[in-house]
Amino acid sequence: MLVLNNTNAQPLTFFLTGIPGLEHVHIWISIPICFMYLLAILGNCTILFVIRTEPSLHEPMYYFLSMLALSDLGLSFSSLPSMMRIFLFNAMEISADACIAQEFFIHGFTDMESSVLLIMSFDRFLAIRNPLRYSSILTSSRVLHIGLTFAIKSILLVLPLPFTLKRLQYCNKRLLSHSYCLHQDVMKLACSDNRVNFYYGLFVALCMMSDSVFIAVSYVFILKTVLGIASHGERLKALNTCVSHICAVLIFYVPIITLATMHRFAKHKSPLAMILIADAFLLVPPLMNPIVYCVKTRQIRVKVLEKLSLKSK
């Protein structure tokens, strides 16, 4: 039996999982994965650069988009090391300390992204409900305070997770279910009482799911407000400002809800399907969010194209 925080014990290591049955082609699978990571990092850095350098984009909606891009970058960099080691070098081992650090950052940035999506839904409601007072209500200082408050909330929410894992004892089981470390995955390998981990992990999950409930409530109020607009054209214009955010919400929550449903209710779940959905949860949102906002938000698209045209001259 190995105790994680015992300095005299042999260093504890876990084993991550690649794609079962396809270990011999991991090197080829690494090519699209590397390409996706590269696009995600470039896309989110482009969003941050354009918003930072364009005074016309210094508005609450784009500040919140910057927060979303930072969360996406955090998710990408949190999972990048272990994914690359697995698919490029077939190196499945990860030390316990590195694993616990990774799960802290993954859960922290996941909660941060969920919080940002919630803030953005309130932002859209406020912009549609009170367009004339929108800028005066959401000033730059208020946006900064809101962002810092939710960032601190995310850190404090997941901060106990590493400590609850370090107090556990681990026996012979070392194989994790995914290509990166998650709290619930590591917790299941413990051979000591993990009820504290289970209940606190459930609390963290419920906090994140409550964000999705509040987002849904926000859109109920948005729809009610839009239906009260007399002009059909104005209704479509108001709804069109929400399309990018709705896409971001679906891209983020669908893999999480699908994975949670399969964990809880699927009797004969496919390990391959579970791993692919889990990998999609960390790969797809950082990749797709910049694409969605560039395609569906005209101001972002125009400024990005302007920057690219200036560099090409």
Side-chain angles (χ1 to χ4, degrees), residues 92-120:
M92 306 296 182
E93 287 191 16
I94 184 170
S95 69
D97 288 335
C99 187
I100 289 174
Q102 185 182 52
E103 66 85 23
F104 169 75
F105 285 111
I106 287 177
H107 288 297
F109 283 113
T110 299
D111 184 76
M112 199 175 297
E113 180 143 348
S114 179
S115 297
V116 172
L117 290 172
L118 173 61
I119 298 168
M120 293 175 84

mmCIF file of all heavy atoms in Angstrom, residues 92-120:
data_model
loop_
_atom_site.group_PDB
_atom_site.id
_atom_site.type_symbol
_atom_site.label_atom_id
_atom_site.label_comp_id
_atom_site.label_asym_id
_atom_site.label_seq_id
_atom_site.Cartn_x
_atom_site.Cartn_y
_atom_site.Cartn_z
ATOM 1 N N MET A 92 3.124 6.334 -21.097
ATOM 2 C CA MET A 92 1.861 6.330 -20.360
ATOM 3 C C MET A 92 2.019 6.722 -18.887
ATOM 4 O O MET A 92 1.043 7.071 -18.241
ATOM 5 C CB MET A 92 1.219 4.940 -20.431
ATOM 6 C CG MET A 92 1.038 4.408 -21.837
ATOM 7 S SD MET A 92 -0.119 5.411 -22.793
ATOM 8 C CE MET A 92 -0.146 4.500 -24.349
ATOM 9 N N GLU A 93 3.223 6.640 -18.364
ATOM 10 C CA GLU A 93 3.433 6.910 -16.943
ATOM 11 C C GLU A 93 3.326 8.403 -16.636
ATOM 12 O O GLU A 93 3.734 9.240 -17.430
ATOM 13 C CB GLU A 93 4.805 6.406 -16.494
ATOM 14 C CG GLU A 93 4.898 4.901 -16.391
ATOM 15 C CD GLU A 93 6.179 4.464 -15.696
ATOM 16 O OE1 GLU A 93 6.819 5.310 -15.042
ATOM 17 O OE2 GLU A 93 6.531 3.281 -15.816
ATOM 18 N N ILE A 94 2.778 8.691 -15.464
ATOM 19 C CA ILE A 94 2.741 10.065 -14.963
ATOM 20 C C ILE A 94 2.872 10.001 -13.448
ATOM 21 O O ILE A 94 2.239 9.148 -12.796
ATOM 22 C CB ILE A 94 1.441 10.798 -15.384
ATOM 23 C CG1 ILE A 94 1.476 12.259 -14.917
ATOM 24 C CG2 ILE A 94 0.195 10.079 -14.866
ATOM 25 C CD1 ILE A 94 0.337 13.108 -15.491
ATOM 26 N N SER A 95 3.705 10.836 -12.883
ATOM 27 C CA SER A 95 3.883 10.825 -11.429
ATOM 28 C C SER A 95 2.608 11.314 -10.744
ATOM 29 O O SER A 95 1.817 12.065 -11.330
ATOM 30 C CB SER A 95 5.064 11.706 -11.038
ATOM 31 O OG SER A 95 4.759 13.071 -11.259
ATOM 32 N N ALA A 96 2.442 10.885 -9.509
ATOM 33 C CA ALA A 96 1.229 11.254 -8.771
ATOM 34 C C ALA A 96 1.116 12.766 -8.605
ATOM 35 O O ALA A 96 0.030 13.338 -8.757
ATOM 36 C CB ALA A 96 1.220 10.558 -7.417
ATOM 37 N N ASP A 97 2.228 13.421 -8.282
ATOM 38 C CA ASP A 97 2.186 14.871 -8.092
ATOM 39 C C ASP A 97 1.818 15.600 -9.384
ATOM 40 O O ASP A 97 1.031 16.552 -9.375
ATOM 41 C CB ASP A 97 3.541 15.380 -7.577
ATOM 42 C CG ASP A 97 3.787 14.977 -6.131
ATOM 43 O OD1 ASP A 97 2.799 14.746 -5.405
ATOM 44 O OD2 ASP A 97 4.963 14.890 -5.730
ATOM 45 N N ALA A 98 2.406 15.148 -10.513
ATOM 46 C CA ALA A 98 2.074 15.765 -11.801
ATOM 47 C C ALA A 98 0.616 15.514 -12.155
ATOM 48 O O ALA A 98 -0.067 16.402 -12.687
ATOM 49 C CB ALA A 98 2.985 15.208 -12.898
ATOM 50 N N CYS A 99 0.133 14.328 -11.842
ATOM 51 C CA CYS A 99 -1.265 13.975 -12.133
ATOM 52 C C CYS A 99 -2.226 14.846 -11.326
ATOM 53 O O CYS A 99 -3.204 15.377 -11.865
ATOM 54 C CB CYS A 99 -1.481 12.494 -11.809
ATOM 55 S SG CYS A 99 -3.097 11.857 -12.286
ATOM 56 N N ILE A 100 -1.935 15.016 -10.046
ATOM 57 C CA ILE A 100 -2.799 15.823 -9.188
ATOM 58 C C ILE A 100 -2.763 17.291 -9.601
ATOM 59 O O ILE A 100 -3.789 17.983 -9.591
ATOM 60 C CB ILE A 100 -2.396 15.636 -7.708
ATOM 61 C CG1 ILE A 100 -2.790 14.234 -7.247
ATOM 62 C CG2 ILE A 100 -3.035 16.682 -6.815
ATOM 63 C CD1 ILE A 100 -2.316 13.879 -5.868
ATOM 64 N N ALA A 101 -1.569 17.778 -9.986
ATOM 65 C CA ALA A 101 -1.472 19.154 -10.475
ATOM 66 C C ALA A 101 -2.291 19.325 -11.752
ATOM 67 O O ALA A 101 -3.001 20.327 -11.922
ATOM 68 C CB ALA A 101 -0.007 19.512 -10.734
ATOM 69 N N GLN A 102 -2.214 18.333 -12.649
ATOM 70 C CA GLN A 102 -2.961 18.426 -13.895
ATOM 71 C C GLN A 102 -4.461 18.446 -13.655
ATOM 72 O O GLN A 102 -5.180 19.250 -14.256
ATOM 73 C CB GLN A 102 -2.605 17.259 -14.823
ATOM 74 C CG GLN A 102 -3.264 17.384 -16.189
ATOM 75 C CD GLN A 102 -2.965 16.208 -17.100
ATOM 76 O OE1 GLN A 102 -3.148 15.057 -16.734
ATOM 77 N NE2 GLN A 102 -2.511 16.509 -18.315
ATOM 78 N N GLU A 103 -4.937 17.566 -12.763
ATOM 79 C CA GLU A 103 -6.389 17.554 -12.528
ATOM 80 C C GLU A 103 -6.850 18.856 -11.887
ATOM 81 O O GLU A 103 -7.957 19.314 -12.157
ATOM 82 C CB GLU A 103 -6.792 16.331 -11.698
ATOM 83 C CG GLU A 103 -6.278 16.265 -10.263
ATOM 84 C CD GLU A 103 -7.150 17.010 -9.268
ATOM 85 O OE1 GLU A 103 -8.344 17.215 -9.532
ATOM 86 O OE2 GLU A 103 -6.615 17.409 -8.211
ATOM 87 N N PHE A 104 -6.003 19.482 -11.072
ATOM 88 C CA PHE A 104 -6.370 20.780 -10.481
ATOM 89 C C PHE A 104 -6.563 21.827 -11.577
ATOM 90 O O PHE A 104 -7.567 22.550 -11.595
ATOM 91 C CB PHE A 104 -5.285 21.232 -9.505
ATOM 92 C CG PHE A 104 -5.436 22.658 -9.054
ATOM 93 C CD1 PHE A 104 -6.413 23.011 -8.129
ATOM 94 C CD2 PHE A 104 -4.624 23.666 -9.575
ATOM 95 C CE1 PHE A 104 -6.563 24.332 -7.720
ATOM 96 C CE2 PHE A 104 -4.766 24.983 -9.171
ATOM 97 C CZ PHE A 104 -5.737 25.321 -8.247
ATOM 98 N N PHE A 105 -5.615 21.907 -12.512
ATOM 99 C CA PHE A 105 -5.712 22.917 -13.571
ATOM 100 C C PHE A 105 -6.862 22.606 -14.533
ATOM 101 O O PHE A 105 -7.570 23.521 -14.974
ATOM 102 C CB PHE A 105 -4.394 23.014 -14.326
ATOM 103 C CG PHE A 105 -3.317 23.732 -13.566
ATOM 104 C CD1 PHE A 105 -2.206 23.052 -13.092
ATOM 105 C CD2 PHE A 105 -3.433 25.092 -13.298
ATOM 106 C CE1 PHE A 105 -1.217 23.715 -12.381
ATOM 107 C CE2 PHE A 105 -2.447 25.765 -12.586
ATOM 108 C CZ PHE A 105 -1.335 25.071 -12.120
ATOM 109 N N ILE A 106 -7.053 21.329 -14.875
ATOM 110 C CA ILE A 106 -8.142 20.973 -15.788
ATOM 111 C C ILE A 106 -9.493 21.316 -15.168
ATOM 112 O O ILE A 106 -10.349 21.954 -15.799
ATOM 113 C CB ILE A 106 -8.069 19.488 -16.176
ATOM 114 C CG1 ILE A 106 -6.909 19.254 -17.145
ATOM 115 C CG2 ILE A 106 -9.385 19.027 -16.820
ATOM 116 C CD1 ILE A 106 -6.692 17.810 -17.530
ATOM 117 N N HIS A 107 -9.709 20.910 -13.914
ATOM 118 C CA HIS A 107 -10.991 21.210 -13.265
ATOM 119 C C HIS A 107 -11.146 22.709 -13.031
ATOM 120 O O HIS A 107 -12.252 23.249 -13.158
ATOM 121 C CB HIS A 107 -11.097 20.451 -11.941
ATOM 122 C CG HIS A 107 -11.308 18.979 -12.096
ATOM 123 N ND1 HIS A 107 -12.431 18.446 -12.695
ATOM 124 C CD2 HIS A 107 -10.535 17.921 -11.760
ATOM 125 C CE1 HIS A 107 -12.349 17.128 -12.704
ATOM 126 N NE2 HIS A 107 -11.203 16.781 -12.144
ATOM 127 N N GLY A 108 -10.046 23.384 -12.703
ATOM 128 C CA GLY A 108 -10.119 24.827 -12.473
ATOM 129 C C GLY A 108 -10.502 25.589 -13.724
ATOM 130 O O GLY A 108 -11.410 26.432 -13.699
ATOM 131 N N PHE A 109 -9.828 25.287 -14.848
ATOM 132 C CA PHE A 109 -10.141 25.998 -16.089
ATOM 133 C C PHE A 109 -11.498 25.568 -16.661
ATOM 134 O O PHE A 109 -12.163 26.358 -17.335
ATOM 135 C CB PHE A 109 -9.029 25.787 -17.115
ATOM 136 C CG PHE A 109 -7.812 26.619 -16.859
ATOM 137 C CD1 PHE A 109 -6.608 26.037 -16.492
ATOM 138 C CD2 PHE A 109 -7.864 28.006 -16.960
ATOM 139 C CE1 PHE A 109 -5.482 26.815 -16.236
ATOM 140 C CE2 PHE A 109 -6.750 28.797 -16.711
ATOM 141 C CZ PHE A 109 -5.554 28.190 -16.340
ATOM 142 N N THR A 110 -11.904 24.330 -16.391
ATOM 143 C CA THR A 110 -13.234 23.889 -16.822
ATOM 144 C C THR A 110 -14.311 24.683 -16.102
ATOM 145 O O THR A 110 -15.267 25.171 -16.721
ATOM 146 C CB THR A 110 -13.425 22.386 -16.544
ATOM 147 O OG1 THR A 110 -12.447 21.643 -17.271
ATOM 148 C CG2 THR A 110 -14.809 21.931 -16.978
ATOM 149 N N ASP A 111 -14.162 24.823 -14.783
ATOM 150 C CA ASP A 111 -15.133 25.616 -14.026
ATOM 151 C C ASP A 111 -15.087 27.079 -14.447
ATOM 152 O O ASP A 111 -16.129 27.743 -14.522
ATOM 153 C CB ASP A 111 -14.864 25.488 -12.528
ATOM 154 C CG ASP A 111 -15.905 26.217 -11.701
ATOM 155 O OD1 ASP A 111 -17.026 25.694 -11.565
ATOM 156 O OD2 ASP A 111 -15.611 27.332 -11.207
ATOM 157 N N MET A 112 -13.877 27.582 -14.734
ATOM 158 C CA MET A 112 -13.744 28.970 -15.167
ATOM 159 C C MET A 112 -14.474 29.197 -16.492
ATOM 160 O O MET A 112 -15.173 30.205 -16.668
ATOM 161 C CB MET A 112 -12.263 29.334 -15.307
ATOM 162 C CG MET A 112 -11.979 30.824 -15.311
ATOM 163 S SD MET A 112 -10.211 31.183 -15.343
ATOM 164 C CE MET A 112 -9.689 30.458 -13.792
ATOM 165 N N GLU A 113 -14.326 28.246 -17.416
ATOM 166 C CA GLU A 113 -15.020 28.384 -18.707
ATOM 167 C C GLU A 113 -16.524 28.329 -18.520
ATOM 168 O O GLU A 113 -17.272 29.092 -19.147
ATOM 169 C CB GLU A 113 -14.566 27.283 -19.668
ATOM 170 C CG GLU A 113 -15.234 27.352 -21.017
ATOM 171 C CD GLU A 113 -14.311 26.973 -22.160
ATOM 172 O OE1 GLU A 113 -13.089 26.861 -21.949
ATOM 173 O OE2 GLU A 113 -14.813 26.794 -23.277
ATOM 174 N N SER A 114 -16.981 27.430 -17.649
ATOM 175 C CA SER A 114 -18.414 27.346 -17.360
ATOM 176 C C SER A 114 -18.923 28.657 -16.781
ATOM 177 O O SER A 114 -19.998 29.155 -17.155
ATOM 178 C CB SER A 114 -18.663 26.192 -16.382
ATOM 179 O OG SER A 114 -20.022 26.090 -16.047
ATOM 180 N N SER A 115 -18.140 29.257 -15.884
ATOM 181 C CA SER A 115 -18.537 30.535 -15.279
ATOM 182 C C SER A 115 -18.573 31.656 -16.314
ATOM 183 O O SER A 115 -19.476 32.496 -16.302
ATOM 184 C CB SER A 115 -17.554 30.904 -14.156
ATOM 185 O OG SER A 115 -17.587 29.947 -13.130
ATOM 186 N N VAL A 116 -17.583 31.669 -17.217
ATOM 187 C CA VAL A 116 -17.546 32.707 -18.249
ATOM 188 C C VAL A 116 -18.758 32.584 -19.172
ATOM 189 O O VAL A 116 -19.369 33.591 -19.557
ATOM 190 C CB VAL A 116 -16.235 32.628 -19.056
ATOM 191 C CG1 VAL A 116 -16.286 33.579 -20.256
ATOM 192 C CG2 VAL A 116 -15.047 32.986 -18.174
ATOM 193 N N LEU A 117 -19.121 31.364 -19.529
ATOM 194 C CA LEU A 117 -20.308 31.160 -20.373
ATOM 195 C C LEU A 117 -21.567 31.654 -19.667
ATOM 196 O O LEU A 117 -22.474 32.214 -20.307
ATOM 197 C CB LEU A 117 -20.446 29.683 -20.744
ATOM 198 C CG LEU A 117 -19.394 29.146 -21.717
ATOM 199 C CD1 LEU A 117 -19.508 27.631 -21.851
ATOM 200 C CD2 LEU A 117 -19.521 29.811 -23.090
ATOM 201 N N LEU A 118 -21.618 31.467 -18.348
ATOM 202 C CA LEU A 118 -22.751 31.989 -17.568
ATOM 203 C C LEU A 118 -22.763 33.514 -17.592
ATOM 204 O O LEU A 118 -23.809 34.138 -17.832
ATOM 205 C CB LEU A 118 -22.663 31.476 -16.130
ATOM 206 C CG LEU A 118 -23.677 32.059 -15.141
ATOM 207 C CD1 LEU A 118 -25.103 31.746 -15.579
ATOM 208 C CD2 LEU A 118 -23.412 31.526 -13.730
ATOM 209 N N ILE A 119 -21.601 34.131 -17.360
ATOM 210 C CA ILE A 119 -21.512 35.602 -17.391
ATOM 211 C C ILE A 119 -21.939 36.129 -18.761
ATOM 212 O O ILE A 119 -22.660 37.134 -18.863
ATOM 213 C CB ILE A 119 -20.067 36.060 -17.093
ATOM 214 C CG1 ILE A 119 -19.624 35.622 -15.702
ATOM 215 C CG2 ILE A 119 -19.962 37.580 -17.196
ATOM 216 C CD1 ILE A 119 -18.129 35.797 -15.470
ATOM 217 N N MET A 120 -21.506 35.444 -19.818
ATOM 218 C CA MET A 120 -21.831 35.894 -21.179
ATOM 219 C C MET A 120 -23.325 35.799 -21.459
ATOM 220 O O MET A 120 -23.872 36.610 -22.217
ATOM 221 C CB MET A 120 -21.034 35.079 -22.199
ATOM 222 C CG MET A 120 -19.533 35.326 -22.142
ATOM 223 S SD MET A 120 -18.589 34.261 -23.249
ATOM 224 C CE MET A 120 -18.718 35.188 -24.794
#
